[in-house]
Amino acid sequence: MEILPERTVERLSHYRRVLSKLLEINKEYIYSHEIAKLLHITPVQVRRDLMLIGHSGTLRKGYRIRELISLIGTIIDNPEKYKVAIVGFGKLGHALLNYLTENESNLHLVALFDTNPEKIGTTNNNVICYSVDRIPEIIKRYKIDMALLTLPPQFAQLTANQLVESGVKGIINYTSSILSIEGAFLEQYDMIASLEKVAYFTKPEFYL
Amino acid sequence: MEILPERTVERLSHYRRVLSKLLEINKEYIYSHEIAKLLHITPVQVRRDLMLIGHSGTLRKGYRIRELISLIGTIIDNPEKYKVAIVGFGKLGHALLNYLTENESNLHLVALFDTNPEKIGTTNNNVICYSVDRIPEIIKRYKIDMALLTLPPQFAQLTANQLVESGVKGIINYTSSILSIEGAFLEQYDMIASLEKVAYFTKPEFYL
DNA sequence: TCTAAACTGTTATTGAAGTAACAAGTAAAA
DNA sequence: TTTTACTTGTTACTTCAATAACAGTTTAGA
Ligand SMILES: NC(=O)c1ccc[n+]([C@@H]2O[C@H](COP(=O)([O-])OP(=O)(O)OC[C@H]3O[C@@H](n4cnc5c(N)ncnc54)[C@H](O)[C@@H]3O)[C@@H](O)[C@H]2O)c1
Ligand SMILES: NC(=O)c1ccc[n+]([C@@H]2O[C@H](COP(=O)([O-])OP(=O)(O)OC[C@H]3O[C@@H](n4cnc5c(N)ncnc54)[C@H](O)[C@@H]3O)[C@@H](O)[C@H]2O)c1
């Protein structure tokens, strides 16, 4: 299969989430316009995404929910779960730990890393916090695929480099420092920029 | 001035952040390629953004840092600071409170909202937590511009509606439920979708 | 049996964002 | 003083994403 557009992949994640809920209440088929309504997008967008992943619906009956969920799974999941680490076990790191352990998903949180001696060695929601010195060792041992950076910004680049060298293939950077990495997929989420953007668009001049 | 592209606004926030640091060490002028290098983007992108906001540099000397920072301010800031509320004062809400109060910015966190009686009435980093019942009253009284949604997903849409009716003009939704609102700018940040996207792109087939 | 309405699947068009190309002008060096 | 190298500012082009248009198929109902 061709490589999918980023936005499509994000929507596949959304589709799966809402479809799973519908499956629970024993709905069997769904129309593109029903999916669209749930996500506040257009039916065309839905059909196009499904076309891209090669899913065919039944004319006048719509898409078979169970089948669609399972197809999305084969595309965005791994046979084994993706292994994830959180680097920087502070306030935000805690929140993410909590979120990842209580929400069932195809992601498996395997390790935490920090520099604070009081945190190193502790077990939190069954996940051990290691010293950052052990990043190469632990990443390799558990074959960790992805890392979430929630450490102070000034250490982000250096740590990202170490992570990638140790085999990490995807990074989400929540710090405010802007990174550059080679050999791995990088996603930045800069909360301040996001807030300032929203602030800009709240200006009365361009109410939408 | 014309309405700016969303991405440009985000980058303006980045420009300002790095430029402020340079100003502190008494750098006076900067070239587009220097800015570009700091943010890992292209010099053309920088010049184009600055063109859009109508800033002129000096040929062969670059941009006057102080001037540029102040221009960015007039564009993305408010004369008074933007007033922000956090709705849902749980783990993530706490992290955000912490982040917003310790990072100096043009945003002023004014109120927290929750339903938990143990949290209502408490003061945290000088910010009071109110009952969600008082959303209309408090939003209007303090003229709150923006809200961050960090409450359980099933309440997000209803609460968003209330917020907008009370006068909020921008919302960042951190819950996993997908919202639709009219009359305000909405930004969704769905962490699971973001993680699943990164996971997808870590697949060995398309190393970049 | 025939017709019309309702959906799907795909191609074509539009729009937004980023990149490239280059003209114009200035400072520094020769 | 003249030349050269460098940097800005702007227009043109490319790429990616979303939307529109429509052909094709099935089912229900006349
Ligand atoms: N709190 C938020 O809501 C929020 C939001 C967006 C971005 N951020 C960013 O996320 C990062 C963490 O924020 P926070 O509020 O959790 O801060 P925090 O101070 O609570 O946590 C930082 C943690 O990182 C650890 N640490 C320090 N140096 C380290 C290193 N070299 N390697 C690994 N760990 C190290 C610290 O011991 C601490 O546990 C910051 O960069 C912040 O800008 C935070
Ligand atoms: N923790 C994370 O890192 C994280 C990441 C992404 C998204 N999220 C999402 O953010 C939201 C909050 O996550 P959390 O980990 O902080 O959960 P949490 O349970 O710690 O916090 C939720 C808070 O919302 C309050 N609340 C309940 N009903 C409310 C209502 N009707 N109005 C206002 N407040 C109400 C609760 O009392 C609690 O304080 C969830 O939707 C979660 O999916 C969390």
Side-chain angles (χ1 to χ4, degrees), chain B residues 117-136:
Chain B
E118 294 187 5
K119 298 182 177 179
I120 295 168
T122 61
T123 300
N124 313 266
N125 299 28
N126 284 318
V127 187
I128 298 174
C129 182
Y130 300 96
S131 163
V132 290
D133 300 336
R134 298 179 66 190
I135 284 180

Side-chain angles (χ1 to χ4, degrees), chain B residues 26-40:
Chain B
N26 294 317
K27 192 170 162 72
E28 200 174 345
Y29 283 93
I30 192 163
Y31 297 126
S32 60
H33 65 257
E34 294 179 293
I35 300 181
K37 194 156 199 183
L38 290 168
L39 304 190
H40 305 110

Side-chain angles (χ1 to χ4, degrees), chain A residues 80-85 108-110 142-147:
Chain A
E80 312 141 62
K81 289 194 171 191
Y82 289 103
K83 309 245 180 53
V84 180
H108 181 39
L109 182 60
V110 173
Y142 295 110
K143 297 193 170 53
I144 292 174
D145 306 290
M146 302 168 51

Side-chain angles (χ1 to χ4, degrees), chain A residues 87-94 113-116 119 132 135 149-155 159 174-177 189-192, chain B residues 92 94-100 102-103:
Chain A
V87 185
F89 188 43
K91 288 244 164 54
L92 184 57
H94 259 102
F113 292 101
D114 208 295
T115 46
N116 185 335
K119 297 183 178 179
V132 290
I135 284 180
L149 299 187
T150 55
L151 73 177
Q154 63 270 30
F155 305 117
T159 307
Y174 288 106
T175 79
S176 55
S177 71
Y189 182 70
D190 183 336
M191 186 169 294
I192 292 288
Chain B
L92 184 57
H94 260 103
L96 297 180
L97 163 72
N98 192 54
Y99 187 61
L100 287 178
E102 76 184 16
N103 282 269

Side-chain angles (χ1 to χ4, degrees), chain A residues 175-190:
Chain A
T175 79
S176 55
S177 71
I178 289 153
L179 307 184
S180 156
I181 60 178
E182 303 243 321
F185 185 87
L186 172 67
E187 167 103 344
Q188 313 244 15
Y189 182 70
D190 183 336

Side-chain angles (χ1 to χ4, degrees), chain A residues 31-33 47 51 56-57 59-60 62-63:
Chain A
Y31 297 125
S32 61
H33 66 257
R47 293 205 297 276
M51 185 193 91
S56 290
L59 253 170
R60 303 260 313 176
Y63 303 91

